[in-house]
Amino acid sequence: MLKDQLQEVEKRIQAACDRAGRKREEVTLIAVSKTKPVETLQEAYDLGVRIFGENKVQELTAKYEALPKDIHWHMIGHLQTNKVKYIIDKAELIHSVDSLKLAETIEKEAAKHDLIADILVEVNVAEEESKFGMKMEEVIPFVEKVSAFPHVRVRGLMTIAPFVEDPEENRSIFADLHKLYIDIKKKNHDNDTVSVLSMGMTNDYEVAIEEGATMVRVGTGIFGARNYVV
């Protein structure tokens, strides 16, 4: 079952890349494994998955200890400043940086470990009340400030689009974020640093790819519906 779902997602990513005239290797698939047990992640690992996304610090750290060490862990959920220290040396990429205070904490914890933390700026493109993330106009000033931090590297942008029945409704959101991403790339003198646009989930990742996503975060499409009773 997992194998079939993974193949189906892979096929859809390829088809979306073909439609957009993009190469398959331009898009990284993140298997969103929140609430899923270690056994399920191991099964995905055995099928070749190496990049997993977790929403909760506690889950990420527990799975990090239990699973093979060549896995690339991404922190995709909202991150509280007091939890940064637990994942700073475990998460390869933090997708959900939405405030200067959080960026400052990441800088401080990364300095302690003598490492450079790669982050994405979370942008609330649709300005939904219920979602975290910066407004579009706040992003460039924020990136300019954080670029002075020696232990933090802004790798790009991330958004969680509204949940919609018809993914086409999110196309303009993805297109707007792609424009902002290109603007930041142009402003960034060290051009290779900004190379990640994380947008699109199970419901709308094909449209996101057509609009320029370089990372898609797929959970239900790979693992099936989540059990929130856990």
Side-chain angles (χ1 to χ4, degrees):
M1 186 174 143
L2 188 60
K3 187 181 181 184
D4 295 344
Q5 283 166 298
L6 206 48
Q7 282 173 343
E8 176 64 20
V9 169
E10 200 44 67
K11 195 172 82 184
R12 288 182 176 198
I13 290 174
Q14 185 62 63
C17 286
D18 292 345
R19 287 194 297 276
R22 301 178 67 194
K23 295 191 180 84
R24 170 62 189 89
E25 56 268 27
E26 290 175 37
V27 181
T28 301
L29 171 62
I30 299 168
V32 178
S33 45
K34 60 180 180 183
T35 79
K36 295 296 172 187
V38 165
E39 296 74 31
T40 305
L41 275 72
Q42 183 65 53
E43 192 186 340
Y45 178 90
D46 294 341
L47 291 166
V49 176
R50 291 294 178 274
I51 305 172
F52 291 92
E54 286 289 337
N55 268 47
K56 292 197 161 70
V57 167
Q58 208 173 344
E59 264 194 88
L60 189 152
T61 53
K63 290 171 181 176
Y64 176 92
E65 297 304 336
L67 285 153
K69 287 295 170 267
D70 62 337
I71 287 175
H72 305 280
W73 295 99
H74 288 214
M75 179 66 198
I76 60 174
H78 180 64
L79 182 58
Q80 293 168 304
T81 50
N82 63 345
K83 299 277 178 73
V84 171
K85 58 183 177 233
Y86 300 114
I87 55 125
I88 194 70
D89 57 342
K90 296 176 180 67
E92 190 165 291
L93 185 62
I94 300 169
H95 287 236
S96 46
V97 178
D98 60 354
S99 71
L100 194 58
K101 189 181 169 206
L102 179 56
E104 285 166 349
T105 305
I106 293 169
E107 165 63 33
K108 195 175 75 182
E109 294 298 335
K112 285 182 194 169
H113 287 267
D114 195 24
L115 56 81
I116 293 173
D118 283 335
I119 67 164
L120 301 181
V121 182
E122 183 172 358
V123 190
N124 186 350
V125 183
E127 296 194 9
E128 289 183 280
E129 291 278 322
S130 61
K131 295 242 172 85
F132 293 103
M134 295 187 179
K135 291 180 177 169
M136 295 274 281
E137 64 270 19
E138 295 171 334
V139 175
I140 287 175
F142 173 81
V143 170
E144 283 167 354
K145 276 188 192 135
V146 175
S147 63
F149 292 6
H151 299 92
V152 175
R153 186 163 47 198
V154 177
R155 296 298 313 279
L157 306 177
M158 176 270 226
T159 196
I160 301 171
F163 185 81
V164 288
E165 289 303 319
D166 178 8
E168 282 299 328
E169 289 179 40
N170 282 338
R171 189 176 289 278
S172 64
I173 283 170
F174 297 142
D176 287 349
L177 194 67
H178 184 258
K179 276 195 209 96
L180 181 60
Y181 167 73
I182 296 298
D183 286 349
I184 290 170
K185 267 179 96 70
K186 281 182 190 155
K187 281 183 166 53
N188 188 337
H189 305 302
D190 182 11
N191 242 345
D192 297 337
T193 311
V194 176
S195 59
V196 179
L197 186 54
S198 169
M199 58 186 193
M201 307 199 305
T202 294
N203 204 40
D204 53 17
Y205 65 88
E206 291 149 282
V207 173
I209 290 168
E210 290 167 13
E211 294 300 331
T214 70
M215 277 185 185
V216 291
R217 309 178 304 272
V218 181
T220 309
I222 295 171
F223 297 109
R226 285 185 198 93
N227 175 10
Y228 280 108
V229 186
V230 177

